[in-house]
């Protein structure tokens, strides 16, 4: 082709500060600030009008007015009966693998004995009720059902609700059959035909019914919302955060491939195309010190992109500002770039991948070697594909069992444990001008902790000094 599909950013010979390197990384524009003006009225409508607003909003945005906002159990079982046996087998294999990994992730309680009668322990408590969002749009994501539901189930969440958009072509306004069948396989029976920002509002505020089939309460509020979605879903999650917990404000999906000259250019090109297929804003980045690999990948893209089904979408994604080939001086600079980019998915295709992986600090998930491409993680590796995007892997982590649990410390001191430090706590409290804090402690050992004139003598008499 006369025009290269991906741009090249040449960093060779450049010394960049950390700030400059972070600023140079290719990123998609999230645009949540602009979307908030459109999302706020949606949140307000659902909070005030419940199911009636949900039906109006579904008709407006998804072009169908669901009769049953909560999907009937019979519809889910019918979807399961009609599921292609090969697809069902694939779904069940995915469930088995991620459940096995999740089971090993369950955090264990701990206890620290600081002195006789002085212990701090930690319990991990499941979140009580969780709302799981499963997107629609350009593709269907039964895999996202699995990636959200299984960790929550293993964590011990009592109440799980799934929301996913209805199919516009379905006269009943039901979600995609494969989504319903996956929920049935997982034993999730609370599923709503609600998409977009309105689903987030329903989870955050709850929704009262408006039709007889809704009941008085269509949906109770949740304690945490998880799952990816478009810009309006991400913005809505950001706006209700604080009222409810959220996993993250997810941006467009992304891949970085850190490769050297030994990597197969056709395989690298296929992996870049695979990620670009998601969305026109998806980011596909190759980080390499090999001019030969750069040229080989560009040539492979020229051959492969026109032959893939979603060629226009892929070409837009690969040609966007969020994608590109970053050419470096060597493996050290490549690693620095990878850590600055902090990819959602990082593939390492180098001669010594373990040496590289040991130095990676920032990535949502790392895919080691040429036989661990990202779609493996999307479906069946046993890992979770809900990962931090947009550079947030510098401080955020993949969704997992821990997402659906909260650590709570239990402080257990008896008289023997508190007495040796009572006076010290009082001294600390007084230094912060919070004398009542100290008096609270001293009350366990002194009849009159408010008598400051004789306080030291009384502390000594009580054996606190």
């Amino acid at each position: 082709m006369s025009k290269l599909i991906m741009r090249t950013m040449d960093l060779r010979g450049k010394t960049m500060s950390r700030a400059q390197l972070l600023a140079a990384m290719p990123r998609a524009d999230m645009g949540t600030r602009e979307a908030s003006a459109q999302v706020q009225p949606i949140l307000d409508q659902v909070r005030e009008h419940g199911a009636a607003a949900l039906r109006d909003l579904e008709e407006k945005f998804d072009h169908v007015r669901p009769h049953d906002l909560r999907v009937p159990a019979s519809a889910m079982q019918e979807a399961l009966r009609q599921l292609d046996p090969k697809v069902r087998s694939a779904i069940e294999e995915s469930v088995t693998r991620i459940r096995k990994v999740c089971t090993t992730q369950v955090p264990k309680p701990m206890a620290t004995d600081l002195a006789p009668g002085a212990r701090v322990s930690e319990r991990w408590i499941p979140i009580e009720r969780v709302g799981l969002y499963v997107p629609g749009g350009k593709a269907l994501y039964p895999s996202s059902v699995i990636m959200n539901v299984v960790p929550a189930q293993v964590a011990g969440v009592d109440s799980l609700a799934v929301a996913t958009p209805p199919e516009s072509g379905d006269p009943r306004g039901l979600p995609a059959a494969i989504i319903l069948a996956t929920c049935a396989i997982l034993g999730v029976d609370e599923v709503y035909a609600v998409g977009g920002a309105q689903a987030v509002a329903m989870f955050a505020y709850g929704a009262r019914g408006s039709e007889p089939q809704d009941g008085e309460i269509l949906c109770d509020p949740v304690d945490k919302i998880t799952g990816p979605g478009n810009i309006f879903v991400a913005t809505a999650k950001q706006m209700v955060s604080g009222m409810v917990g959220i996993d993250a404000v997810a941006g467009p999906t992304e891949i970085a491939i850190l490769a050297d000259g030994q990597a197969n250019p056709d395989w690298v090109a296929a992996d870049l195309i695979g990620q670009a297929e998601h969305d026109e804003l998806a980011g596909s980045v190759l980080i390499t010190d090999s001019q030969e690999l750069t040229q080989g990948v560009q040539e492979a893209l020229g051959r492969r992109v026109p032959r893939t089904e979603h060629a226009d979408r892929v070409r837009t994604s690969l040609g966007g500002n969020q994608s590109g080939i970053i050419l470096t001086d060597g493996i050290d600079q490549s690693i620095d770039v990878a850590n600055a980019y902090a990819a959602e998915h990082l593939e390492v295709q180098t001669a010594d991948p373990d040496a590289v992986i040991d130095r990676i600090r920032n990535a949502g998930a790392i895919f080691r070697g040429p036989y661990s491409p990202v779609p493996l993680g999307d479906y069946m590796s046993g890992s979770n594909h809900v990962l931090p995007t947009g550079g947030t892997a510098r401080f955020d982590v993949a969704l997992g069992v821990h997402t659906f649990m909260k650590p709570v410390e239990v402080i257990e001191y008896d008289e023997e444990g508190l007495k040796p430090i009572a006076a010290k706590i009082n001294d600390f409290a007084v230094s912060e001008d919070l004398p009542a804090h100290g008096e609270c402690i001293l009350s366990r050992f002194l009849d009159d902790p408010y008598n400051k004139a004789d306080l030291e003598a009384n502390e000594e008499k009580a054996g606190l000094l």
Side-chain angles (χ1 to χ4, degrees):
M1 297 180 67
S2 58
K3 184 179 178 181
L4 295 177
I5 290 179
M6 295 183 73
R7 66 188 177 117
T8 298
M9 301 169 55
D10 194 344
L11 300 187
R12 291 176 297 179
K14 295 181 179 179
T15 301
M16 305 176 76
S17 69
R18 188 168 190 265
Q20 289 171 326
L21 191 57
L22 291 172
M25 293 300 98
R27 300 285 185 206
D29 181 15
M30 278 287 289
T32 53
R33 183 178 302 176
E34 295 79 3
S36 62
Q38 296 170 263
V39 168
Q40 186 63 59
I42 296 172
L43 300 180
D44 294 340
Q45 288 175 54
V46 174
R47 178 163 50 182
E48 185 173 351
H49 300 294
L54 292 172
R55 285 189 171 87
D56 291 344
L57 291 164
E58 286 307 318
E59 188 170 23
K60 178 180 180 179
F61 294 118
D62 292 320
H63 313 297
V64 63
R65 191 174 184 87
H67 177 269
D68 293 294
L69 287 168
R70 179 165 176 171
V71 178
S74 58
M76 296 173 62
Q77 290 304 314
E78 178 63 21
L80 182 57
R81 281 192 295 272
Q82 295 184 7
L83 185 63
D84 183 330
K86 290 183 178 179
V87 176
R88 178 169 182 167
S89 177
I91 289 171
E92 289 173 341
E93 181 67 25
S94 178
V95 170
T96 297
R97 287 173 177 258
I98 191 170
R99 196 178 296 280
K100 188 171 184 178
V101 172
C102 285
T103 300
T104 67
Q105 290 180 341
V106 178
K108 295 177 173 55
M110 54 77 67
T112 303
D113 291 312
L114 298 158
R119 165 178 282 200
V120 174
S121 57
E122 185 176 76
R123 300 174 58 216
W124 283 84
I125 303 172
I127 292 171
E128 187 174 352
R129 178 165 165 79
V130 174
L132 311 173
Y133 186 76
V134 178
K138 295 182 174 68
L140 299 175
Y141 294 101
S143 56
S144 287
V145 179
I146 297 168
M147 298 295 168
N148 282 271
V149 168
V150 173
Q153 289 177 330
V154 173
V157 172
D158 289 336
S159 178
L160 296 176
V162 169
T164 189
E167 285 197 302
S168 58
D170 189 299
R172 298 168 297 174
L174 293 175
I178 193 169
I179 301 296
L180 299 183
T182 305
C183 288
I185 288 171
L186 290 164
V188 176
D189 60 7
E190 187 180 350
V191 180
Y192 296 92
V194 181
Q198 57 269 29
V200 174
M202 178 186 70
F203 282 151
Y205 308 128
R208 65 181 184 273
S210 63
E211 302 290 342
Q213 64 270 28
D214 299 338
E216 183 179 351
I217 300 297
L218 172 72
C219 180
D220 282 320
V222 304
D223 301 311
K224 191 167 189 176
I225 303 171
T226 71
N230 63 18
I231 184 63
F232 300 105
V233 171
T235 301
K237 286 171 68 177
Q238 188 175 56
M239 293 175 74
V240 301
S241 176
M243 173 179 296
V244 295
I246 64 171
D247 53 347
V249 179
T253 190
E254 63 202 20
I255 185 177
I257 303 175
L258 196 165
D260 58 20
Q262 61 83 49
N264 183 320
D266 285 297
W267 294 4
V268 171
D271 295 355
L272 294 169
I273 291 170
Q275 203 65 20
E277 182 180 39
H278 277 283
D279 187 271
E280 287 85 353
L281 291 176
S284 294
V285 175
L286 170 61
I287 305 166
T288 185
D289 59 357
S290 171
Q291 183 68 56
E292 293 75 15
L293 180 65
T294 298
Q295 182 177 345
V297 168
Q298 292 278 26
E299 292 172 355
L301 290 172
R303 295 191 305 271
R304 288 170 174 263
V305 169
R307 299 183 65 192
T308 194
E309 181 174 349
H310 302 295
D312 290 343
R313 186 190 309 163
V314 168
R315 188 176 285 107
T316 300
S317 171
L318 294 178
N321 290 331
Q322 75 276 11
S323 299
I325 299 174
I326 302 177
L327 197 56
T328 68
D329 280 323
I331 195 66
D332 290 341
Q333 191 180 32
S334 290
I335 292 170
D336 288 343
V337 169
N339 281 324
Y341 184 65
E344 178 188 14
H345 310 90
L346 175 64
E347 290 186 3
V348 178
Q349 299 190 33
T350 60
D352 189 354
D354 291 330
V356 172
I357 290 171
D358 282 347
R359 296 172 60 190
I360 296 297
R361 299 177 65 91
N362 304 323
I366 301 172
F367 297 78
R368 180 195 181 280
Y371 289 94
S372 302
V374 165
L376 173 66
D378 287 341
Y379 299 112
M380 217 167 287
S381 66
S383 62
N384 202 295
H385 79 199
V386 183
L387 303 167
T389 60
T392 60
R394 290 163 51 211
F395 53 83
D396 210 349
V397 297
L399 186 142
V401 173
H402 59 274
T403 307
F404 302 100
M405 303 186 80
K406 51 189 180 183
V408 177
E409 290 183 326
V410 179
I411 295 87
E412 308 171 70
Y413 275 61
D414 61 15
E415 182 179 359
E416 184 183 14
L418 181 60
K419 188 173 183 177
I421 58 173
K424 289 183 171 64
I425 295 173
N426 179 64
D427 292 340
F428 211 146
V430 170
S431 76
E432 292 190 343
D433 194 25
L434 295 171
H437 282 55
E439 291 155 4
C440 167
I441 297 294
L442 294 178
S443 292
R444 270 68 181 169
F445 306 100
L446 303 180
D447 292 334
D448 184 9
Y450 304 97
N451 178 7
K452 305 305 180 185
D454 299 321
L455 181 60
E456 187 171 341
N458 288 333
E459 286 180 331
E460 186 172 1
K461 184 178 179 180
L464 303 183
L465 298 180

